[in-house]
Amino acid sequence: MAKWGQGDPRWIVEERADATNVNNWHWTERDATSWSKSKLEQLLVGIAVDGEAGSCEISGLRQMEGEASCNSRKGKLIFFYEWNIQLSWKGTMKESGEKHKGSVEIPNLSEENEVDDTEISVSKKKGDGDELKDLMRTEGASKVREALRDYLKALKTEFTLGMILPTKTTAGQELAVKRKLSENNVQDSVSPISLDVVGVKIPTVKILLKEMFETLAEELYSIFITKELVQKFSKCHAVIEAEKGGKLQMFDGCVTGEYIELLRSQRIVMKWRCRNWPDEYYATVALNFKDRGAQTELQLECKGVPVYCEDSTRQCWQKQHFEEIHVLLRQTKRR
């Protein structure tokens, strides 16, 4: 029998907060079926398109069959999903005001096919209104594909927050983090990361990000503290109690927290955590809003992020927050 500290590190049972799946070597699986059904319905129902002939929208979900899961093995994430989706659409002719109905079918959304290669068929009840069917078959199908891409992006980022579990700090981990520190200090375009150990068990990093937004500081600040706006850019139900000690919940509970400081149009500080981080463990997030005339520079500092969650946390802010807020701002300007 090998002594403590010797032997194959894949099978050494380290002293850890959760005492499971050391070094993320064993196969673990999380069922994404229920989450996926909710997410797909949110993204697909309500899609609307306009054309010369009239307007159409996805009015409801008729049927959704299939399953989805995310598996972790050797510290890597593997996704399985297979869906057969049937949707209802309705449309109105611009000149006559006639209303028509039909269906949209997605028979095989799976990891075996790219979204662009996934079949999307559009049908309509008998009678006139083929122009509306053509509108759904072209513009409508294009928007449906965008929604499917958003689902896959959320599956691989939002749903997987916290799936790669931490291990006890090893010499190899410390060396890798220090090497990254050294590399980032040389590259101005890369956000710096500093090593900080919280308590005794969890090695953490600090993430610094900057993003420029085409809006005033007051408007950008409002997006982060207004429930309706948070729900628009996150595309999920949210709990936003924008006051000191108030609760925060986003992405169907994937992110939770508490407001620590709110300085109107200037600064927000939060306790912030991802689902499946160690129980009661929070990072500290500070959002600083810098007025740059017609633009606002958002400076984010996220301290105390578990090392194993650095990439997923960075993606959460860049993809699920920043990119979606840019989309929301563009949509607002077009109105």
Side-chain angles (χ1 to χ4, degrees), residues 4 12-26 28 162-170 173 200-203 276-278 308:
W4 174 258
I12 294 175
V13 180
E14 296 181 350
E15 185 180 356
R16 296 183 16 165
D18 55 20
T20 59
N21 200 20
V22 176
N23 292 324
N24 303 290
W25 188 259
H26 301 293
T28 60
M163 277 200 71
I164 302 297
L165 303 173
T167 65
K168 180 176 151 184
T169 307
T170 64
Q173 271 185 317
V200 231
K201 301 293 182 187
I202 306 174
N276 291 339
W277 282 14
Y308 72 101

Short mmCIF file of all heavy atoms in Angstrom, two decimals, residues 4 12-26 28 162-170 173 200-203 276-278 308:
data_model
loop_
_atom_site.label_atom_id
_atom_site.label_comp_id
_atom_site.label_asym_id
_atom_site.label_seq_id
_atom_site.Cartn_x
_atom_site.Cartn_y
_atom_site.Cartn_z
N TRP A 4 0.95 7.92 2.33
CA TRP A 4 0.26 9.17 2.03
C TRP A 4 1.18 10.08 1.21
O TRP A 4 2.33 10.27 1.52
CB TRP A 4 -0.13 9.88 3.32
CG TRP A 4 -0.70 11.25 3.07
CD1 TRP A 4 -0.08 12.45 3.22
CD2 TRP A 4 -2.02 11.54 2.61
NE1 TRP A 4 -0.91 13.45 2.89
CE2 TRP A 4 -2.12 12.93 2.51
CE3 TRP A 4 -3.11 10.75 2.28
CZ2 TRP A 4 -3.27 13.57 2.09
CZ3 TRP A 4 -4.26 11.38 1.86
CH2 TRP A 4 -4.34 12.76 1.77
N ILE A 12 -5.78 8.98 -5.01
CA ILE A 12 -5.49 9.40 -3.64
C ILE A 12 -6.68 10.19 -3.10
O ILE A 12 -7.13 11.14 -3.72
CB ILE A 12 -4.23 10.27 -3.57
CG1 ILE A 12 -3.01 9.42 -3.96
CG2 ILE A 12 -4.05 10.87 -2.20
CD1 ILE A 12 -1.72 10.21 -4.04
N VAL A 13 -7.23 9.78 -1.97
CA VAL A 13 -8.37 10.46 -1.37
C VAL A 13 -7.85 11.64 -0.57
O VAL A 13 -7.33 11.48 0.52
CB VAL A 13 -9.18 9.51 -0.47
CG1 VAL A 13 -10.36 10.24 0.14
CG2 VAL A 13 -9.63 8.30 -1.26
N GLU A 14 -7.98 12.83 -1.14
CA GLU A 14 -7.49 14.01 -0.47
C GLU A 14 -8.49 14.52 0.56
O GLU A 14 -9.68 14.22 0.50
CB GLU A 14 -7.22 15.11 -1.51
CG GLU A 14 -6.11 14.73 -2.49
CD GLU A 14 -5.85 15.84 -3.49
OE1 GLU A 14 -6.66 16.79 -3.54
OE2 GLU A 14 -4.86 15.75 -4.21
N GLU A 15 -7.98 15.34 1.46
CA GLU A 15 -8.85 15.95 2.46
C GLU A 15 -9.52 17.15 1.82
O GLU A 15 -8.89 18.12 1.46
CB GLU A 15 -8.00 16.41 3.66
CG GLU A 15 -8.82 16.95 4.80
CD GLU A 15 -7.94 17.40 5.94
OE1 GLU A 15 -6.71 17.23 5.86
OE2 GLU A 15 -8.49 17.95 6.90
N ARG A 16 -10.87 17.08 1.65
CA ARG A 16 -11.59 18.12 0.94
C ARG A 16 -12.90 18.43 1.63
O ARG A 16 -13.40 17.65 2.42
CB ARG A 16 -11.93 17.66 -0.50
CG ARG A 16 -10.78 17.40 -1.36
CD ARG A 16 -11.28 17.04 -2.72
NE ARG A 16 -12.68 17.43 -2.85
CZ ARG A 16 -13.30 17.50 -3.98
NH1 ARG A 16 -12.68 17.22 -5.08
NH2 ARG A 16 -14.56 17.85 -4.06
N ALA A 17 -13.45 19.60 1.27
CA ALA A 17 -14.71 20.02 1.89
C ALA A 17 -15.84 19.04 1.57
O ALA A 17 -16.65 18.71 2.41
CB ALA A 17 -15.08 21.42 1.42
N ASP A 18 -15.90 18.56 0.29
CA ASP A 18 -17.01 17.67 -0.07
C ASP A 18 -16.60 16.20 -0.07
O ASP A 18 -17.43 15.31 -0.14
CB ASP A 18 -17.59 18.04 -1.44
CG ASP A 18 -16.52 18.08 -2.53
OD1 ASP A 18 -15.47 17.46 -2.33
OD2 ASP A 18 -16.77 18.71 -3.57
N ALA A 19 -15.32 15.90 -0.06
CA ALA A 19 -14.80 14.53 0.08
C ALA A 19 -15.26 13.60 -1.02
O ALA A 19 -15.41 12.42 -0.82
CB ALA A 19 -15.19 13.95 1.44
N THR A 20 -15.50 14.14 -2.22
CA THR A 20 -15.94 13.30 -3.32
C THR A 20 -15.19 13.61 -4.59
O THR A 20 -14.71 14.72 -4.79
CB THR A 20 -17.44 13.47 -3.59
OG1 THR A 20 -17.69 14.85 -3.92
CG2 THR A 20 -18.27 13.07 -2.40
N ASN A 21 -15.12 12.61 -5.49
CA ASN A 21 -14.60 12.78 -6.84
C ASN A 21 -13.26 13.52 -6.88
O ASN A 21 -13.10 14.53 -7.55
CB ASN A 21 -15.61 13.51 -7.71
CG ASN A 21 -15.34 13.28 -9.19
OD1 ASN A 21 -14.68 12.32 -9.55
ND2 ASN A 21 -15.86 14.15 -10.02
N VAL A 22 -12.28 12.97 -6.20
CA VAL A 22 -10.98 13.61 -6.10
C VAL A 22 -10.37 13.82 -7.47
O VAL A 22 -10.38 12.94 -8.33
CB VAL A 22 -10.05 12.74 -5.22
CG1 VAL A 22 -8.66 13.32 -5.19
CG2 VAL A 22 -10.63 12.63 -3.82
N ASN A 23 -9.82 15.02 -7.68
CA ASN A 23 -9.17 15.39 -8.94
C ASN A 23 -10.11 15.29 -10.14
O ASN A 23 -9.67 15.28 -11.28
CB ASN A 23 -7.93 14.54 -9.21
CG ASN A 23 -6.82 14.82 -8.23
OD1 ASN A 23 -6.64 15.95 -7.80
ND2 ASN A 23 -6.10 13.78 -7.85
N ASN A 24 -11.43 15.22 -9.89
CA ASN A 24 -12.43 15.17 -10.97
C ASN A 24 -12.19 14.00 -11.92
O ASN A 24 -12.50 14.07 -13.10
CB ASN A 24 -12.42 16.48 -11.76
CG ASN A 24 -12.65 17.67 -10.88
OD1 ASN A 24 -13.75 17.87 -10.39
ND2 ASN A 24 -11.61 18.47 -10.67
N TRP A 25 -11.65 12.89 -11.39
CA TRP A 25 -11.27 11.77 -12.26
C TRP A 25 -12.46 10.87 -12.56
O TRP A 25 -12.60 10.35 -13.65
CB TRP A 25 -10.16 10.95 -11.58
CG TRP A 25 -9.59 9.90 -12.49
CD1 TRP A 25 -9.86 8.59 -12.51
CD2 TRP A 25 -8.66 10.11 -13.55
NE1 TRP A 25 -9.15 7.95 -13.48
CE2 TRP A 25 -8.39 8.87 -14.15
CE3 TRP A 25 -8.01 11.25 -14.05
CZ2 TRP A 25 -7.52 8.72 -15.21
CZ3 TRP A 25 -7.14 11.10 -15.12
CH2 TRP A 25 -6.91 9.84 -15.68
N HIS A 26 -13.33 10.68 -11.58
CA HIS A 26 -14.46 9.76 -11.77
C HIS A 26 -15.54 10.40 -12.62
O HIS A 26 -15.69 11.61 -12.67
CB HIS A 26 -15.04 9.35 -10.40
CG HIS A 26 -14.03 8.68 -9.53
ND1 HIS A 26 -13.51 7.45 -9.82
CD2 HIS A 26 -13.43 9.09 -8.38
CE1 HIS A 26 -12.64 7.11 -8.87
NE2 HIS A 26 -12.58 8.09 -8.00
N THR A 28 -18.99 11.71 -13.45
CA THR A 28 -20.18 12.24 -12.79
C THR A 28 -21.14 12.76 -13.85
O THR A 28 -20.71 13.19 -14.93
CB THR A 28 -19.84 13.37 -11.80
OG1 THR A 28 -19.21 14.44 -12.52
CG2 THR A 28 -18.92 12.89 -10.70
N GLY A 162 -19.99 25.28 -11.82
CA GLY A 162 -19.69 24.51 -10.62
C GLY A 162 -19.56 23.02 -10.80
O GLY A 162 -19.39 22.30 -9.82
N MET A 163 -19.59 22.52 -12.03
CA MET A 163 -19.51 21.07 -12.21
C MET A 163 -18.11 20.51 -12.01
O MET A 163 -17.95 19.37 -11.60
CB MET A 163 -20.02 20.68 -13.60
CG MET A 163 -21.52 20.56 -13.68
SD MET A 163 -22.08 19.57 -15.08
CE MET A 163 -21.59 17.92 -14.60
N ILE A 164 -17.08 21.29 -12.34
CA ILE A 164 -15.71 20.81 -12.13
C ILE A 164 -15.33 21.14 -10.70
O ILE A 164 -15.16 22.29 -10.33
CB ILE A 164 -14.72 21.47 -13.11
CG1 ILE A 164 -15.16 21.17 -14.55
CG2 ILE A 164 -13.32 20.98 -12.87
CD1 ILE A 164 -15.13 19.70 -14.90
N LEU A 165 -15.19 20.12 -9.89
CA LEU A 165 -14.99 20.29 -8.45
C LEU A 165 -13.55 20.60 -8.10
O LEU A 165 -12.63 20.19 -8.79
CB LEU A 165 -15.43 19.02 -7.71
CG LEU A 165 -16.88 18.60 -7.95
CD1 LEU A 165 -17.13 17.26 -7.30
CD2 LEU A 165 -17.83 19.65 -7.41
N PRO A 166 -13.31 21.32 -6.99
CA PRO A 166 -11.94 21.66 -6.60
C PRO A 166 -11.26 20.51 -5.89
O PRO A 166 -11.91 19.65 -5.31
CB PRO A 166 -12.15 22.83 -5.63
CG PRO A 166 -13.47 22.54 -5.00
CD PRO A 166 -14.30 21.89 -6.06
N THR A 167 -9.94 20.50 -5.88
CA THR A 167 -9.17 19.56 -5.09
C THR A 167 -8.26 20.35 -4.16
O THR A 167 -8.12 21.56 -4.26
CB THR A 167 -8.29 18.67 -5.98
OG1 THR A 167 -7.31 19.50 -6.62
CG2 THR A 167 -9.13 17.96 -7.02
N LYS A 168 -7.63 19.64 -3.26
CA LYS A 168 -6.67 20.26 -2.37
C LYS A 168 -5.54 20.85 -3.20
O LYS A 168 -5.16 20.31 -4.23
CB LYS A 168 -6.14 19.19 -1.43
CG LYS A 168 -5.11 19.65 -0.42
CD LYS A 168 -4.81 18.47 0.48
CE LYS A 168 -3.41 18.52 1.01
NZ LYS A 168 -3.12 17.32 1.78
N THR A 169 -4.99 21.99 -2.78
CA THR A 169 -3.92 22.63 -3.54
C THR A 169 -2.72 21.73 -3.63
O THR A 169 -2.20 21.26 -2.63
CB THR A 169 -3.50 23.95 -2.85
OG1 THR A 169 -4.65 24.74 -2.64
CG2 THR A 169 -2.51 24.71 -3.71
N THR A 170 -2.28 21.46 -4.84
CA THR A 170 -1.07 20.67 -5.04
C THR A 170 0.01 21.55 -5.61
O THR A 170 -0.25 22.64 -6.11
CB THR A 170 -1.36 19.52 -6.02
OG1 THR A 170 -1.70 20.09 -7.28
CG2 THR A 170 -2.50 18.66 -5.53
N GLN A 173 -0.80 22.52 -9.15
CA GLN A 173 -1.79 23.57 -9.29
C GLN A 173 -1.17 24.93 -9.06
O GLN A 173 -1.38 25.87 -9.82
CB GLN A 173 -2.91 23.37 -8.28
CG GLN A 173 -4.05 22.48 -8.77
CD GLN A 173 -5.15 22.44 -7.74
OE1 GLN A 173 -4.89 22.32 -6.54
NE2 GLN A 173 -6.37 22.52 -8.19
N VAL A 200 -8.54 27.30 4.45
CA VAL A 200 -7.40 26.40 4.31
C VAL A 200 -7.50 25.51 3.09
O VAL A 200 -6.53 24.95 2.68
CB VAL A 200 -7.29 25.49 5.53
CG1 VAL A 200 -5.90 25.51 6.08
CG2 VAL A 200 -8.28 25.82 6.60
N LYS A 201 -8.69 25.37 2.57
CA LYS A 201 -8.91 24.32 1.58
C LYS A 201 -8.96 24.80 0.14
O LYS A 201 -8.53 24.10 -0.75
CB LYS A 201 -10.23 23.59 1.89
CG LYS A 201 -10.28 22.95 3.26
CD LYS A 201 -9.30 21.82 3.36
CE LYS A 201 -9.39 21.15 4.72
NZ LYS A 201 -8.35 20.15 4.90
N ILE A 202 -9.56 25.98 -0.12
CA ILE A 202 -9.92 26.34 -1.48
C ILE A 202 -8.98 27.39 -2.06
O ILE A 202 -8.97 28.53 -1.63
CB ILE A 202 -11.37 26.89 -1.53
CG1 ILE A 202 -12.33 25.90 -0.90
CG2 ILE A 202 -11.78 27.22 -2.96
CD1 ILE A 202 -13.74 26.41 -0.76
N PRO A 203 -8.17 27.02 -3.06
CA PRO A 203 -7.35 28.02 -3.75
C PRO A 203 -8.23 28.86 -4.66
O PRO A 203 -9.13 28.34 -5.33
CB PRO A 203 -6.37 27.17 -4.56
CG PRO A 203 -7.08 25.88 -4.79
CD PRO A 203 -7.96 25.66 -3.60
N ASN A 276 -23.47 24.90 -6.74
CA ASN A 276 -22.49 23.81 -6.61
C ASN A 276 -21.10 24.26 -6.23
O ASN A 276 -20.17 23.47 -6.24
CB ASN A 276 -22.43 22.94 -7.88
CG ASN A 276 -23.69 22.13 -8.07
OD1 ASN A 276 -24.43 21.92 -7.12
ND2 ASN A 276 -23.94 21.71 -9.28
N TRP A 277 -20.92 25.55 -5.91
CA TRP A 277 -19.72 25.92 -5.17
C TRP A 277 -19.89 25.33 -3.77
O TRP A 277 -21.01 24.96 -3.38
CB TRP A 277 -19.59 27.44 -5.07
CG TRP A 277 -19.09 28.10 -6.33
CD1 TRP A 277 -19.01 27.55 -7.57
CD2 TRP A 277 -18.63 29.45 -6.45
NE1 TRP A 277 -18.53 28.47 -8.46
CE2 TRP A 277 -18.29 29.64 -7.81
CE3 TRP A 277 -18.48 30.50 -5.56
CZ2 TRP A 277 -17.79 30.86 -8.28
CZ3 TRP A 277 -17.99 31.72 -6.02
CH2 TRP A 277 -17.65 31.88 -7.37
N PRO A 278 -18.81 25.20 -3.01
CA PRO A 278 -18.97 24.70 -1.63
C PRO A 278 -20.04 25.48 -0.89
O PRO A 278 -20.19 26.69 -1.09
CB PRO A 278 -17.57 24.92 -1.02
CG PRO A 278 -16.65 24.83 -2.20
CD PRO A 278 -17.40 25.44 -3.35
N TYR A 308 -10.77 26.31 -9.84
CA TYR A 308 -11.36 25.39 -10.82
C TYR A 308 -12.54 26.02 -11.56
O TYR A 308 -12.98 25.50 -12.58
CB TYR A 308 -11.83 24.11 -10.12
CG TYR A 308 -13.06 24.27 -9.24
CD1 TYR A 308 -14.31 23.89 -9.69
CD2 TYR A 308 -12.95 24.81 -7.97
CE1 TYR A 308 -15.44 24.03 -8.90
CE2 TYR A 308 -14.07 24.96 -7.17
CZ TYR A 308 -15.31 24.57 -7.62
OH TYR A 308 -16.42 24.72 -6.83
#
